[in-house]
Amino acid sequence: MKNTIFILSLVLCFSCQNKKSDKKLVIRSLDNSLQTELDSLYNIGVFNGFSTTIVDTTGIVYNQGFGYADVDVKKKYTENTIINIASVSKVFIGVALLKAQEMKLLNLNDPINKYLPFKVIHPNYPDEVITIRQLATHTSSIVDTDVYMETCYINKDDVSLPEGLKRYELYYKNPSKDWIPLAEYLGKLLQKDEVFYNTSTFSDIKPGELYEYSNIGAALCAFVIESAANKSFNEFTKEHIFKPLGMSSTSWFFEEVDSTNYSKLYADDQLLPYYKILSYPDGGLITSSTDLSQFLIDLIKGYSGNGTLLSSNSYNELFRPQLQQKAFEKKKNKNEGFNVGLFLELEPAYNSIGHTGGDPGTNTMMFFNTDTGKGRIFIANTDSRKENSMEIFWGIWNVLDKY
């Protein structure tokens, strides 16, 4: 019996080794083929640096950096380079929101004023209740304005813009001393008679009726979580998302990450200064493709009922279609950006769920395919106005989908 077990063990051992070897061969083959195609696209010269990632439920399948995080000193852009990922950050608000609901700190259908230290009243519909769910589905009728754009970006190091980049002046007009906490900033935007308040922050549409993408609404949702948990949104996400997934290079703030791993930001060949965002949860998450991969893997697992961050019911709610088609009647393409869940978008033609992002010097995408269970990440450190920039952007994205 012992000999039989020993022989069986050997067979199983060799079988496992063969499977591992086969997987390594597949990955090596994938790496070589994919690397060749991506190298060709990088060499066209649109992006100074970027990282690309493919994941599935078993983990990271491919993860590679291209080009430079710092062109002047020829510092390589790697899979561990960190950079702010713009609006892909909003997906973390959705997961944090459902974690807070699991903890019975709030309910998606609660009025936001139940938790806020100041009252948010729609001036055109003062008797209408704005709910947390409306914030999370971009239907709160709180909309982005010129005032928001002119106030939310802070010039981190008070660095002047180079000549030829005046189109970015809006993002760097506010000096570093103007930094204020999230609660204070939102209060100044949304409370009547406060310094940044403007009635145009509220659309003429009744809350809950139409989809209109809102950065302010996303930041406000994060602040509702912060208020309900009596803990900063930064600390809440650190405790319930970053640490459980081992995202050790991820934070909302420069002060909490290794600045030596931070990529420079570019507008084509010109260097852009760093900036901070007062409404930071709507687009300020700093991370690497390696860290972000862990989050995407758990989303994919959560879609199939095996996630670790949230319960199956919460993940079902995250991905559940929240809106009717009539909520998109003002969009030119009524199927474009259909909001499949909470701070998530569906690309119907590709069975993909995820989010895109864009800010000065950074362009990002994170999606997974609901049929294949494979996910893709693209993070770049360059804004490009070159004629072929979009062609190369989509070329990289589509190449990732081939493998």
Side-chain angles (χ1 to χ4, degrees):
M1 187 68 175
K2 287 182 181 178
N3 287 337
T4 304
I5 292 173
F6 177 70
I7 293 169
L8 180 59
S9 297
L10 282 175
V11 171
L12 288 173
C13 181
F14 284 125
S15 176
C16 289
Q17 286 179 344
N18 286 336
K19 285 180 180 178
K20 287 179 181 178
S21 298
D22 289 346
K23 186 171 183 179
K24 286 180 181 178
L25 286 171
V26 170
I27 291 174
R28 191 178 298 118
S29 174
L30 181 153
D31 283 358
N32 292 336
S33 302
L34 183 54
Q35 192 80 19
T36 299
E37 292 200 58
L38 291 173
D39 278 336
S40 297
L41 288 164
Y42 164 72
N43 289 332
I44 292 171
V46 169
F47 298 107
N48 292 293
F50 63 87
S51 59
T52 57
T53 312
I54 301 172
V55 302
D56 60 22
T57 55
T58 67
I60 295 174
V61 177
Y62 178 86
N63 193 23
Q64 183 69 46
F66 296 82
Y68 298 104
D70 187 330
V71 174
D72 288 342
V73 300
K74 303 301 181 187
K75 182 180 180 180
K76 294 290 188 181
Y77 196 111
T78 76
E79 66 274 15
N80 296 314
T81 298
I82 58 175
I83 192 171
N84 55 301
I85 57 169
S87 285
V88 172
S89 307
K90 290 181 176 70
V91 184
F92 288 81
I93 306 177
V95 171
L97 178 59
L98 288 165
K99 174 56 70 174
Q101 180 168 265
E102 282 185 6
M103 297 167 66
K104 303 189 183 307
L105 298 174
L106 52 74
N107 185 281
L108 286 172
N109 296 317
D110 285 341
I112 60 175
N113 286 332
K114 179 178 178 180
Y115 303 97
L116 298 175
F118 51 81
K119 296 296 182 185
V120 176
I121 306 296
H122 196 308
N124 301 320
Y125 299 93
D127 296 326
E128 285 295 321
V129 170
I130 298 174
T131 69
I132 298 172
R133 190 184 298 274
Q134 288 168 357
L135 294 179
T137 56
H138 298 290
T139 58
S140 68
S141 295
I142 297 172
V143 296
D144 298 334
T145 63
D146 290 343
V147 174
Y148 161 76
M149 289 299 300
E150 291 169 1
T151 58
C152 74
Y153 291 89
I154 301 292
N155 190 326
K156 177 183 176 291
D157 301 309
D158 298 321
V159 176
S160 299
L161 276 172
E163 286 297 321
L165 291 180
K166 293 301 181 184
R167 67 185 183 274
Y168 289 97
E169 199 167 19
L170 178 69
Y171 303 97
Y172 299 97
K173 61 186 295 186
N174 303 305
S176 58
K177 67 178 179 61
D178 285 355
W179 177 265
I180 55 176
L182 178 65
E184 185 177 347
Y185 177 59
L186 291 173
K188 290 179 182 296
L189 271 176
L190 297 168
Q191 286 186 99
K192 189 176 181 181
D193 299 327
E194 281 286 353
V195 61
F196 299 145
Y197 181 84
N198 192 298
T199 55
S200 65
T201 305
F202 301 87
S203 74
D204 57 0
I205 305 298
K206 183 178 175 181
E209 287 193 348
L210 289 181
Y211 173 99
E212 187 161 3
Y213 190 86
S214 174
N215 288 290
I216 300 174
L220 184 59
C221 189
F223 182 55
V224 168
I225 299 168
E226 181 172 301
S227 299
N230 196 27
K231 179 180 293 188
S232 74
F233 186 71
N234 175 41
E235 290 300 321
F236 188 87
T237 49
K238 189 183 299 183
E239 179 180 347
H240 297 290
I241 301 176
F242 307 155
K243 285 185 177 179
L245 293 180
M247 298 174 68
S248 58
S249 298
T250 300
S251 179
W252 298 96
F253 300 121
F254 281 89
E255 298 78 12
E256 296 184 357
V257 295
D258 183 354
S259 61
T260 62
N261 286 333
Y262 204 105
S263 176
K264 299 290 188 181
L265 305 176
Y266 296 93
D268 283 320
D269 300 324
Q270 290 185 281
L271 190 65
L272 285 166
Y274 290 133
Y275 51 86
K276 299 166 78 173
I277 306 174
L278 295 182
S279 56
Y280 72 87
D282 68 30
L285 188 65
I286 300 167
T287 192
S288 66
S289 62
T290 298
D291 269 19
L292 189 58
S293 295
Q294 301 310 312
F295 182 67
L296 181 55
I297 290 166
D298 206 71
L299 292 184
I300 298 170
K301 289 181 177 178
Y303 187 82
S304 59
N306 300 305
T308 61
L309 293 177
L310 301 173
S311 68
S312 294
N313 286 340
S314 291
Y315 263 127
N316 287 340
E317 184 68 20
L318 182 71
F319 300 121
R320 182 178 69 82
Q322 300 281 328
L323 304 176
Q324 300 297 319
Q325 191 64 44
K326 63 183 181 181
F328 300 89
E329 63 184 29
K330 288 183 72 174
K331 292 177 73 69
K332 290 180 181 178
N333 181 351
K334 295 182 181 180
N335 290 321
E336 182 183 347
F338 189 87
N339 188 279
V340 68
L342 306 173
F343 294 115
L344 282 167
E345 295 179 356
L346 168 69
E347 296 291 343
Y350 305 102
N351 300 311
S352 293
I353 295 174
H355 214 291
T356 60
D359 258 326
T362 180
N363 286 283
T364 59
M365 290 185 76
M366 181 186 75
F367 279 84
F368 71 90
N369 187 292
T370 57
D371 284 346
T372 66
K374 290 184 178 180
R376 292 174 284 168
I377 293 170
F378 173 78
I379 305 174
N381 67 2
T382 311
D383 269 351
S384 179
R385 303 187 99 189
K386 294 178 181 178
E387 189 175 345
N388 61 341
S389 60
M390 289 307 296
E391 179 185 344
I392 303 307
F393 178 92
W394 288 112
I396 293 168
W397 187 247
N398 291 332
V399 163
L400 294 176
D401 198 34
K402 289 169 57 178
Y403 294 90

